[in-house]
Amino acid sequence: MSRTTQSPAGNTIKLAAVQASPVFLNKAATTEKVCELILEAGKQGADIVGFPETFVSGYPGWVELVALSTNLASSLFIRLFDEAVEVPGPETDAISTACKEAGIYAIVGINERRANTTGTLWNTNLFFGKDGSLLHKHQKFTPTVGERLIHAPGTTGSKTSILTDFGPVSSLICGENGNPLAIYSLSLDYPVVHVASWPPHMALGQMSGDVAKLFSGFVASSAGCYVINAVAVVDDKAIDEYGIDDEIKAYLKREQNHRQASIIAPGGKAVPTYSSHSNELIFADVDVANLKRFKYGLDFAGHYNRPEVFAHHFEQYL
């Protein structure tokens, strides 16, 4: 399909962030929705689209709200495992085909299952190229709070970025976007765009959108890049599955009413966006030259840093 993308020298690229609900615990239907959103973003001329955390096929949000020793909690885990994605597999093949048809890069969050086993899940982001290739896989370094019962620590190493035709793109998942060392590491790759993937609701009573904007401002300023905040929306089926009392149901309903996706510029300021007809995607046209203007003063990966300030922390290893 025809593209309007320009190289960094030409400055302008179009970013898309997903603010939608998966089809809870249904990977076939959720994968179909992922492909539809990718194609819609491509029709709008987007160069890259970012998806929320574990979008296929839903975030294990019951770990925050339901007693974990109950039959409900264990049965939800079993269903999540059964609906998790093996990489590669038919779900990744379908997403690859959609990216190739749309001519777009996509970062897609999944629950990843260790192939041909009856145990072990990871919280994973997949990086797809506009030619449909699976370019990289990042498993969340350390699961957050109750996720530690659901997901294993990541095994994919420290790399969290790919190279695209408009520059490097990085991605981290949820709380990783507040990890200073992870952000410093990815900043050394000089990302043009960073995708921050978020769940539909978060522990400790904090709204994911508020945390997303706080952390993404930190990433945008530390790495000197644009940040796509892709934030999931609570699915009606999830409310039916683990909204076990009036208080929990009311909390999930409140969270469901929020559309918290955003796109952040270096310095932490939100970029003006516009929505798709379905309101499940937001878009922004951004100027890559602004990254150079920001780094003129503050390049934390380069001239505005002294890496040796870490030296004394490693003396015990030398």
Side-chain angles (χ1 to χ4, degrees):
M1 65 188 303
S2 63
R3 308 297 294 160
T4 58
T5 306
Q6 301 180 54
S7 68
N11 296 334
T12 303
I13 56 176
K14 186 185 291 285
L15 312 182
V18 172
Q19 52 178 16
S21 60
V23 183
F24 190 60
L25 302 184
N26 186 327
K27 67 179 174 183
T30 303
T31 299
E32 183 178 352
K33 185 168 186 176
V34 168
C35 294
E36 290 171 354
L37 289 168
I38 287 171
L39 293 172
E40 183 178 355
K43 288 177 182 177
Q44 293 294 325
D47 297 286
I48 180 170
V49 57
F51 282 80
E53 180 176 13
T54 61
F55 195 74
V56 186
S57 55
Y59 181 74
W62 67 86
V63 297
E64 305 170 6
L65 303 169
V66 174
L68 299 180
S69 59
T70 60
N71 288 332
L72 172 62
S74 60
S75 65
L76 285 169
F77 170 77
I78 292 168
R79 290 168 59 196
L80 182 73
F81 185 88
D82 289 341
E83 293 298 315
V85 175
E86 294 184 1
V87 181
E91 294 78 26
T92 59
D93 290 345
I95 296 169
S96 293
T97 298
C99 287
K100 185 174 182 179
E101 182 177 344
I104 193 173
Y105 294 90
I107 311 295
V108 182
I110 64 168
N111 292 284
E112 181 188 0
R113 182 174 68 205
R114 176 174 281 169
N116 302 313
T117 71
T118 54
T120 300
L121 297 176
W122 290 284
N123 186 339
T124 300
N125 271 6
L126 302 178
F127 298 61
F128 291 91
K130 67 178 185 178
D131 63 352
S133 57
L134 178 57
L135 298 173
H136 187 57
K137 178 173 73 174
H138 166 59
Q139 296 169 342
K140 195 173 189 179
F141 295 128
T142 301
T144 309
V145 195
E147 294 170 17
R148 292 168 187 162
L149 185 62
I150 306 296
H151 297 126
T155 63
T156 49
S158 59
K159 181 177 174 58
T160 61
S161 66
I162 59 171
L163 185 63
T164 74
D165 56 4
F166 55 84
V169 168
S170 59
S171 182
L172 291 173
I173 305 166
C174 195
E176 293 183 322
N177 293 285
N179 183 325
L181 293 182
I183 294 163
Y184 176 64
S185 176
L186 70 85
S187 74
L188 298 178
D189 288 336
Y190 282 84
V192 171
V193 177
H194 175 80
V195 175
S197 300
W198 300 93
H201 58 86
M202 296 183 71
L204 308 178
Q206 298 190 50
M207 290 168 50
S208 59
D210 293 339
V211 175
K213 289 177 182 177
L214 175 66
F215 281 15
S216 62
F218 172 52
V219 178
S221 298
S222 297
C225 63
Y226 289 101
V227 176
I228 295 173
N229 274 323
V231 185
V233 176
V234 178
D235 184 27
D236 284 334
K237 189 178 178 186
I239 298 176
D240 292 339
E241 295 282 3
Y242 60 88
I244 59 174
D245 59 38
D246 290 343
E247 183 180 4
I248 293 174
K249 189 171 294 186
Y251 166 69
L252 294 174
K253 288 284 189 182
R254 287 195 302 272
E255 291 296 292
Q256 186 180 47
N257 289 328
H258 298 132
R259 294 294 186 272
Q260 300 285 2
S262 60
I263 295 172
I264 309 297
K269 186 176 180 180
V271 176
T273 62
Y274 60 93
S275 300
S276 64
H277 176 72
S278 65
N279 202 32
E280 293 188 315
L281 287 163
I282 64 167
F283 300 93
D285 297 295
V286 300
D287 186 352
V288 174
N290 287 333
L291 308 185
K292 300 172 188 176
R293 295 187 185 97
F294 182 81
K295 291 186 176 73
Y296 176 59
L298 300 173
D299 181 4
F300 292 107
H303 67 77
Y304 198 68
N305 210 331
R306 296 289 299 275
E308 67 271 21
V309 300
F310 290 99
H312 66 285
H313 293 293
F314 297 96
E315 289 176 355
Q316 60 181 309
Y317 302 111
L318 299 176

